[in-house]
Amino acid sequence: MFNKILIANRGEIACRVIKTAKKMGIATVAVYSDADRNALHVRMADEAVHIGPSPANQSYIVIDRIIEAVRQTGAQAVHPGYGFLSENMNFAAALEKEGVAFVGPPSPAIEAMGDKITSKKIAQQAGVSTVPGYMGLIADADEAVRISNAIGYPVMIKASAGGGGKGMRIAWTDQEAREGFESSRNEAANSFGDDRIFIEKFVTQPRHIEIQVLADTHGNCVYLHERECSIQRRNQKVIEEAPSPFLDPETRRAMGQQAVALAQAVGYTSAGTVEFIVDTNKNFYFLEMNTRLQVEHPVTELITGVDLVEQMIRVAAGERLPFAQDDLTINGWAIESRLYAEDPYRNFLPSIGRLTRYRPPVETAAGPLLDADRWVPAQPGDRPPAAKAGVRNDTGVFEGGEISMFYDPMIAKLCTWAPDRAQAIEAMRVALDAFEVEGIGHNLPFLSAVMDHPRFVSGDISTAFIAEEYPEGFQGATLPDAELTRIAAAAAAMHRVAEIRRTQISGRLGNHERRVGENWVVTLNGREYPVRVKADREGSTVHVDGRDLRVESDWRPGMSLASLTVDGAPLVLKVDKISAGIRIRTRGADLKTHVRRPRTAELARLMPEKLPPDTSRFLLCPMPGLVVRINVAAGDEVQEGQALATVEAMKMENILRAERRGTVKSVNAEAGQSLRVDDVIMEFV
């Protein structure tokens, strides 16, 4: 076994690998750029080596810099994580030349399967069902348009060396094909150093289901069942689960066997993922193979009990897999929610800045039990009866740390495990409500809303779920009346606790005692709830909407998280002080809440509402980023939907379009300029 491993990556995946290496007694080496000098993975590793400036193409994907770090530290193996150099055959070959083990597949397998075009051809030769498309290289946007017309819209434009949603666009028209080709090629060049593009037919209403495979150097290869990854936005996965609520045992077995056959056909070793799209009739088509560890690997670990990182390291060291296919049963259900630094209220645009508060929910034991020294398949009943569900949070950040514009916007991967899907979803709801993140925009409210969406709860999902259910973007969740009533009762009880505390302030005037009344009016986003609060030592009984609701909690003023029991059911609220009230966030809803005496509430209704400023004549930068191009000039007449500018943030290009017809009065930005949120890019007449 190795004594020292270098992790050629950053963020949560670097931290994830370090955890397993430490468990195995292996020393670790981190690499870092200027932006990551104080990053969590640097703190966790035994050693750390600086490898260059902040941009990834000057640090994390420069092979010579990684090799030099290996030489400097004497690392015997390198784990590439995902992204960056993880699917770069030249990197694997360079390590082999150095006599250093690559914790991943051999370079010929990376070459065969890591290239999307080549892998399609191999899959076809192996008799694997594939999606119709054009597998040759595409020279320019004009050729992309011609090919798209020949295939028939809609089409998927994809980077040959891509992954993680980078370099991917769906086109429905010639104009979208032209723009999509240019953006995909630019993103591919910046993210992977390879700008080759191919085009294939986009199957409407598909599910994205992938099979995890694991192979050793002794000819053994198994599949660890499937992951459902259909909840995607801009081709980037948002929520994953294992197993899939859609597959039956026969389809699962067929997909698994086909994935293993494909892996064996190219001499694959280590962990890899074969991705399929599955139509409504359970017909499945090979999409691509990712020759690396997947972002969503934790859900597979939670239902199988296999530490995939550990097995990758052991395979790289020449060990055999300690299990056979029949040992790999599905135990329970796991869900992963990807927490991104993006603002759902601004159409999910990237957000950067400092994490002024980062407090994940408490992690608890999750998934099948594992033996510390050898792999033991979990059996029904292995888990203690009290262990109904578990929480796991894979992260690479910390409170006070900074989310950089140079890398992916992922903050954490929150996972829950439970014996069945319904309990896993409920555990995720509670965990999301308890996750505190401040200082940047983030998608926690959106993730919470999805967990309550009837289509997701029923399992009736496809890759078009977000586009279909949130066509105008996310504007916050609308909670049912019964839930709002519970929140109103909780707010009234919490307000009374705060009022009692205020009566106990020292230094008051003599012979003056402040009394806390029973009657109040709770306002939630403009809706009023008259309440009566009666308190005792254990909590409060709140009369609201003709009912008496029992509220119990240990919340005290100043606490940012309130865990309550209301009407016998748990309720978790994020609580922040606002002017004359509190801000409550729960289940994807953001509620401005005021608790007033009846007379004060009556007077508050007479106060005029402050209107936001009119910015309709300006194109504002929706997120911090770099201007890639300006498409118009002063005096130009623009049409609705016309591309005005392109801004790059976190390795993604964002095309800003005209909301309506107009004339450009002035242009205030230029290509290459860095902008802040709401900086004026151009003004219209």
Side-chain angles (χ1 to χ4, degrees), residues 661-675:
R661 182 177 177 179
T663 302
V664 179
K665 179 180 179 181
S666 63
V667 177
N668 301 68
E670 59 183 16
Q673 183 177 350
S674 294
L675 300 179

Side-chain angles (χ1 to χ4, degrees), residues 460-477:
D460 178 22
I461 56 178
S462 73
T463 56
F465 172 84
I466 293 178
E468 291 173 350
E469 299 302 325
Y470 303 93
E472 303 300 324
F474 179 72
Q475 302 303 322

Side-chain angles (χ1 to χ4, degrees), residues 476-495:
T478 301
L479 301 182
D481 290 343
E483 191 69 7
L484 289 173
T485 300
R486 295 177 69 231
I487 295 171
M494 293 163 64
H495 180 77

Side-chain angles (χ1 to χ4, degrees), residues 532-551:
R532 185 174 67 253
V533 183
K534 291 188 176 182
D536 54 51
R537 290 179 178 273
E538 305 300 325
S540 299
T541 299
V542 182
H543 185 79
V544 55
D545 276 354
R547 300 175 55 203
D548 286 335
L549 300 184
R550 184 66 180 171
V551 180

Side-chain angles (χ1 to χ4, degrees), residues 243-281:
S244 166
F246 184 64
L247 294 189
D248 53 60
E250 292 75 20
T251 307
R252 175 179 295 116
R253 187 180 307 110
M255 293 176 69
Q257 291 172 348
Q258 194 171 107
V260 167
L262 184 62
Q264 291 177 323
V266 294
Y268 197 88
T269 62
S270 194
T273 297
V274 181
E275 300 192 346
F276 296 91
I277 56 173
V278 185
D279 66 20
T280 54
N281 295 317

Side-chain angles (χ1 to χ4, degrees), residues 182-245:
E182 295 291 352
S183 290
S184 294
R185 185 166 63 176
N186 291 341
E187 287 179 5
N190 292 334
S191 298
F192 314 109
D194 185 340
D195 67 354
R196 292 174 300 156
I197 300 296
F198 71 98
I199 299 177
E200 64 187 12
K201 181 70 177 178
F202 177 66
V203 179
T204 57
Q205 296 298 318
R207 285 176 178 261
H208 184 127
I209 300 176
E210 59 192 30
I211 303 293
Q212 176 72 59
V213 296
L214 189 61
D216 62 25
T217 57
H218 303 277
N220 303 305
C221 185
V222 297
Y223 65 91
L224 290 86
H225 309 294
E226 82 279 4
R227 296 185 289 257
E228 172 84 56
C229 307
S230 297
I231 305 296
Q232 303 179 6
R233 187 188 55 75
R234 295 180 185 172
N235 305 307
Q236 189 175 58
K237 300 165 188 173
V238 178
I239 294 171
E240 301 97 351
E241 59 183 306
S244 166

